[in-house]
Amino acid sequence: ALEREWWRAVVRATFRTADGEARFADFDAFFDALFRHYASAEAWEVAPGAREALRELHRQGRALAILSNFDQRLRGVLRQLGIHRCFNAVTLPADAGAAKPDRAIFDVCLKRLGLPGHRTVYVGDRAREDLEASHAAGMVPIDVAQLASLDALPGRIRELEEAE
């Protein structure tokens, strides 16, 4: 409920900022439909190469997790996209009482995986929230922008291991 109310305030503020004159006949109905839309796989797509990377990493027996600042709807979206079984853990701010870049959310995720940070690779795209924060938590960060495609991820992880 708190996540939903937070999003409701964000959506309302966004419309007010974009157009202070914007009026809704029924903002609550509009928001309900919008919130439901982003809880479904119809609003999302799996990035190119991601399914292949997940399949290969899973085949290698690697523990995989998602650590995201999204809300509880993410679990249902992953299920609808057919990739939920790829992950050993999903850690969200509501699970940890903290959001990225706070160290606490990284610690909760590592505990769920049962791995120390130095044995964990974190793949992200935001400098502060992902790369710097995961490094501070002892993880090995990989900037997704440095990969030609996500299906190159297993090879990049192998390169990091060989460099140890």
Side-chain angles (χ1 to χ4, degrees), residues 7 17 19 54 56 58 74 88 90 111 121 123 139 143 163:
W7 277 115
T17 300
D19 182 358
L54 290 169
E56 176 59 20
H58 190 265
L74 181 59
N88 302 80
V90 175
K111 184 174 181 180
V121 171
V123 181
M139 299 172 164
D143 184 348

Side-chain angles (χ1 to χ4, degrees), residues 46-90:
V46 177
R51 287 184 193 275
E52 295 80 2
L54 290 169
R55 244 183 260 118
E56 176 59 20
L57 293 168
H58 190 265
R59 186 193 68 72
Q60 293 175 11
R62 298 189 185 268
L64 302 174
I66 290 181
L67 189 157
S68 174
N69 279 353
F70 200 67
D71 58 55
Q72 295 295 328
R73 294 175 294 170
L74 181 59
R75 289 182 173 93
V77 170
L78 295 171
R79 200 170 17 267
Q80 290 174 38
L81 290 170
I83 59 173
H84 64 290
R85 287 193 175 95
C86 296
F87 302 100
N88 302 80
V90 175

